[in-house]
Amino acid sequence: MSELAREELSALAAIYCEPGGCELLAASETHGISFRIQITVKELLDTDVLLKLLFHLPVSYPSTVPDISVNSDQLTRAQCMDVKDKLLEQAKKHLSEPMVHDLILWIQQHLKDVIKESATVCSEKTTSSKGTSAEDGIWMLLLHLDHMRAKAKYVKTVEKWASDLRLTGRLMFMGKIILILLQGDRSSIKDYLILQKTCKVDVDSSGKKCKEKMMSVLCETEVQSQHKRFQTFEVKEYSTLKELQKEFETAGLKTLFSEFVPPLLK
């Protein structure tokens, strides 16, 4: 992690010092820094827009652009993706210099224009591609966790990440089996994986906070037409394998269950 990145995060924490304004999620010498900035953009379409911007600064930052995720309850998924794309375009203009604050100021000034442009492009796409599935770009991720020592805290963290990244799905417990099934934008799926791998979400045998080192990615694939879309993210416990299997089958994921879950029992 570069000294520039440390100094930039310190400055951002001072600028966005209100509760929830700047939240450090993870810091590592090998993976870089992940943090969330929350800002309100005034007078957009007669309403305030609350933007949640997740930045991951890799160790090579600022020689490379940061990973960015954008979420807002006031914007559609497509609009959030357009905001992200515009921020990445701007980031390329600031290579080799700290850029996060400049990017935040830029989107505060230009969000209205980005949304207008997004609406125009969306209208053109709808006109030129009638019949295209509404599920385009939606991906699914199935993870297996070996254990959770601090279960309550771990579950709360996973629920918060899913909410912030607008992911739906299930956190499933069946005996010693722990599975996380997520659906959402591919970029949000990737952002979730970064958080899962780099944040201290559990505790070790001595009670010290630790990262998840025993997670397996069982499947990462695009949602197909036969797959049911989850509308929410829920934590569920199952007393039998048959109950767990029914959850998968109800969502049109019988093949996914058969391929990945039974081997975990061996």
Side-chain angles (χ1 to χ4, degrees):
M1 185 191 330
S2 72
E3 189 61 32
L4 274 177
R6 289 180 186 276
E7 291 176 359
E8 183 172 20
L9 180 59
S10 178
L12 290 168
I15 295 169
Y16 304 99
C17 56
E18 65 278 5
C22 180
E23 181 182 359
L24 176 64
L25 301 174
S28 164
E29 294 297 333
T30 54
H31 292 97
I33 304 176
S34 296
F35 57 91
R36 183 186 298 107
I37 299 290
Q38 187 168 282
I39 58 170
T40 299
V41 182
K42 302 285 186 180
E43 298 177 2
L44 177 68
L45 306 177
D46 300 320
T47 186
D48 292 348
V49 174
L50 182 65
L51 284 180
K52 298 176 183 178
L53 308 173
L54 177 66
F55 292 92
H56 173 68
L57 310 186
V59 291
S60 54
Y61 175 87
S63 297
T64 56
V65 298
D67 293 322
I68 304 172
S69 176
V70 179
N71 289 283
S72 174
D73 291 338
Q74 289 79 41
L75 302 180
T76 65
R77 186 178 69 247
Q79 288 171 334
C80 287
M81 290 295 293
D82 288 335
V83 171
K84 172 184 173 178
D85 290 342
K86 291 297 184 182
L87 285 172
L88 289 174
E89 283 181 18
Q90 291 299 311
K92 292 174 183 177
K93 300 177 183 179
H94 295 276
L95 284 173
S96 300
E97 62 184 53
M99 66 184 77
V100 174
H101 189 223
D102 287 332
L103 296 179
I104 295 170
L105 292 177
W106 186 89
I107 199 58
Q108 285 179 310
Q109 295 168 5
H110 295 90
L111 181 60
K112 193 170 185 176
D113 296 329
V114 174
I115 299 307
K116 283 183 179 178
E117 184 178 332
S118 176
T120 302
V121 172
C122 181
S123 176
E124 291 174 353
K125 283 184 177 179
T126 303
T127 303
S128 63
S129 60
K130 287 184 178 179
T132 300
S133 170
E135 305 299 337
D136 281 356
I138 302 302
W139 280 65
M140 178 168 57
L141 176 72
L142 181 63
L143 303 176
H144 173 243
L145 304 181
D146 183 76
H147 61 271
M148 287 183 181
R149 284 196 172 94
K151 183 177 177 180
K153 178 180 179 296
Y154 204 133
V155 168
K156 188 175 180 180
T157 300
V158 171
E159 287 180 310
K160 187 175 189 305
W161 289 343
S163 174
D164 288 347
L165 295 170
R166 302 176 84 174
L167 296 170
T168 60
R170 300 285 185 268
L171 169 53
M172 300 176 280
F173 296 91
M174 200 288 293
K176 292 185 178 181
I177 293 179
I178 307 171
L179 298 170
I180 301 177
L181 179 61
L182 298 170
Q183 293 178 342
D185 293 331
R186 193 173 190 186
S187 61
S188 295
I189 292 287
K190 289 183 176 179
D191 289 337
Y192 180 91
L193 279 173
I194 290 173
L195 292 172
Q196 183 78 59
K197 292 175 181 177
T198 61
C199 293
K200 293 182 178 180
V201 290
D202 206 2
V203 296
D204 60 20
S205 57
S206 64
K208 291 179 61 177
K209 291 182 179 179
C210 65
K211 297 175 185 176
E212 178 56 71
K213 297 180 180 178
M214 301 184 72
M215 176 193 75
S216 301
V217 178
L218 300 180
C219 180
E220 184 177 357
T221 185
E222 193 165 7
V223 168
Q224 304 300 313
S225 58
Q226 70 270 26
H227 298 154
K228 174 189 171 185
R229 283 293 311 280
F230 292 109
Q231 298 304 309
T232 59
F233 182 82
E234 298 178 22
V235 180
K236 302 186 76 171
E237 303 216 15
Y238 309 85
S239 56
T240 66
L241 185 64
K242 194 169 184 178
E243 286 182 9
L244 180 60
Q245 182 176 355
K246 186 177 179 181
E247 181 78 64
F248 276 79
E249 291 179 351
T250 302
L253 301 172
K254 182 178 181 179
T255 302
L256 187 73
F257 175 88
S258 300
E259 184 174 354
F260 296 106
V261 179
L264 299 176
L265 299 171
K266 297 177 181 177

